[in-house]
Amino acid sequence: VESAPLGLTPDATGYFAEDHIRVALRQLKQRNPNISTLAYHDSNLMWTNDQVSCWGRNGAKVASVWNPPVYGMDDTIVANHPEWCLHNTSGQFVWDSYANNHVYDHTFSEVRAAWVDYCLNLTRSGEADGCFIDGATFPHTLSRFRTFMNWNISDAKASTWIPAHDQALWTLNTALGEGTLIANGGL
């Protein structure tokens, strides 16, 4: 609960998950300059302050149901650009069932750029040598997507989201050059 905006919880430090990741990566590099480090980031799920609990929808910034870890980048997108979150056929946010997360709407070029820049900024800083990207091996056909994902989005939206997600991954992979990209997912 310490990875929260100041004042949200008694232990809130105002730092987010990526702030802690940067500190940890710097500490590892200081201890062993030859170590290779990877930063974690999800390719689909947004870890935000505005998540739901297992009991249902909660409003933003409800301290009693705080759901760490929270990435500042994701939290900022939800607060300032809610249209960049995937929406279902009813026009509501998609809530992924894994941890009640928002989902990036990769059909927006701005979302793909922000998502790619997260990892690139860490590698350019020297803090990370690459990124561990979760959810990267996603169902790449509409039928498999429908089998695995219960996001209640239209076939038209899914048909544009799938290649846009792939484009984000390929853009990051290409931009990393000699950097490391580990793609995880299990699907």
Side-chain angles (χ1 to χ4, degrees):
V1 297
E2 71 279 357
S3 295
L6 286 173
L8 182 67
T9 69
D11 300 318
T13 61
Y15 292 101
F16 291 95
E18 61 263 44
D19 300 313
H20 295 291
I21 289 169
R22 292 181 90 111
V23 168
L25 294 175
R26 280 194 301 269
Q27 289 173 347
L28 289 167
K29 292 272 190 182
Q30 288 171 352
R31 291 181 188 147
N32 180 356
N34 297 318
I35 196 169
S36 293
T37 58
L38 298 172
Y40 174 89
H41 200 51
D42 202 298
S43 70
N44 310 307
L45 307 182
M46 302 171 74
W47 297 86
T48 70
N49 174 41
D50 186 27
Q51 292 173 264
V52 295
S53 74
C54 60
W55 299 283
R57 180 75 175 92
N58 295 301
K61 299 175 179 45
V62 178
S64 64
V65 292
W66 183 250
N67 191 6
V70 172
Y71 281 75
M73 180 188 105
D74 296 345
D75 213 44
T76 300
I77 288 174
V78 171
N80 297 326
H81 296 285
E83 70 277 11
W84 292 0
C85 299
L86 192 60
H87 290 76
N88 63 26
T89 56
S90 300
Q92 302 298 311
F93 286 122
V94 166
W95 301 105
D96 185 82
S97 61
Y98 174 70
N100 302 308
N101 304 77
H102 292 84
V103 176
Y104 293 109
D105 189 343
H106 285 293
T107 64
F108 287 92
S109 60
E110 299 90 346
V111 172
R112 293 190 307 272
W115 182 83
V116 166
D117 283 346
Y118 170 82
C119 179
L120 293 181
N121 289 336
L122 286 168
T123 59
R124 288 178 188 134
S125 73
E127 294 163 328
D129 298 298
C131 287
F132 178 96
I133 302 301
D134 214 353
T137 56
F138 209 73
H140 297 285
T141 64
L142 188 56
S143 62
R144 284 187 49 85
F145 182 89
R146 286 277 170 245
T147 301
F148 286 102
M149 307 316 298
N150 188 19
W151 290 349
N152 192 28
I153 62 175
S154 69
D155 285 352
K157 185 67 171 186
S159 295
T160 57
W161 189 93
I162 294 167
H165 175 255
D166 288 347
Q167 182 61 52
L169 294 165
W170 280 111
T171 301
L172 176 57
N173 191 46
T174 302
L176 280 172
E178 295 295 318
T180 302
L181 176 65
I182 295 180
N184 180 52
L187 295 176

